Amino acid sequence: MSDPRKDLARARVVVVKIGSKTLAGSDRIYETLAQDLKVARDRGVRVVIVSSGAIALGVKKLGYRGRPKEMARLQAAAAAGQSLLMRAYEEAFSAHGLVVAQVLLSHADLADRTRGNNARAALSALLDQGAIPILNENDSVAVDEIKFGDNDQLSSMVTPLVDATALLLLSDVDGLLDAKGRRVRAVKDIATEAVPLVQSSKSDVGTGGMGSKVEAARRATLAGAHVVIADARVPGIVGRVLAGEDVGTVFVPPERRLSAKKHWIAFTLRPRGDLVLDAGCVTAVRDRGKSVLTIGILGVRGAFNPGDSVRLLDAAGTELGRGLARLGTPDCARLAHRDEESTVAVHRDEMVIW
């Protein structure tokens, strides 16, 4: 295996995610980030920023005492704060000759293949012109995103969308810390090396703690990208990461990566139902890479149509993976565990097994 730090030094498309808590911590952070990204751009690196911060700025602008819990007020804060956020980026980046462009996305934009491809084309056009797209969730209308999502996960979805080979998750910590508070330099197996170290973290400003960042790292590494969690307050941090210096925690991608379509199935689509599989079908799917046949289905849950995402469960309810249904709920239920008329319910080319 090659040195992951040297692989980072070869990255030519990079996604940089910065959170609300970090942006709120210093008025200088926009200037610091602009200086870093100017150096990266001069080296020929194409950069996409995923930025939180609109709600936090809107909270102050509207005079709320703290981050609201009511959905309507969260949406109002997002609407009021987005212009302030972009103004801060525009002023800091234009001073260094950098052009920024606002791109607001909702989950539905990426879940729909046509809209997702349109977003890919628009981002590619901006990068071709030397601009730095600044992405944020469209929180003023995307109810589910405010309540359940965060920009760590958005950054992991955007990484394969722009064919990035590196994702930088900038925060207010040195990286992933071990039980003694020491920085973990590198993680090769997220499940065994990172997950046990994650502790829940809550902030009145943002939504994504270390657990969210580790999950984003898992998703992005499965797309083939190296991921680094690092402290945004360190001078020149982006340049140091991309120069291959030993800063932050680097997450190494596995040898086998998911294709863009399978990554989309696994992490962007929201399952509309479940297929409960018998033991024989579980073995065939998990160990031999076979498709899910209707004869192997024990039960069907939810209301889904052909093309929708479904979870694949064993009889105990453990999730094995996800895939695109070839049949809707009525046909899956009618043909479940029947030998006659057995057909493919989920094809192996449209399925991801964990």
Side-chain angles (χ1 to χ4, degrees), residues 54-55 67-79 105-107 136-151 206-208 270:
I55 292 178
R67 183 183 174 95
K69 295 182 179 179
E70 300 89 346
M71 193 59 62
R73 292 190 176 190
L74 281 171
Q75 291 173 316
L105 295 173
S106 68
H107 183 272
N136 196 1
E137 287 181 315
N138 195 0
D139 290 335
S140 61
V141 296
V143 174
D144 287 345
E145 279 66 33
I146 291 179
K147 189 173 182 181
F148 301 110
D150 60 59
N151 277 348
T207 59
R270 290 179 174 165

Side-chain angles (χ1 to χ4, degrees), residues 236-258:
I237 188 63
V238 175
R240 293 178 65 184
V241 169
L242 296 180
E245 291 188 30
D246 182 16
V247 291
T249 300
V250 59
F251 293 77
V252 182
E255 292 185 9
R256 294 185 61 183
R257 58 172 289 181
L258 294 177

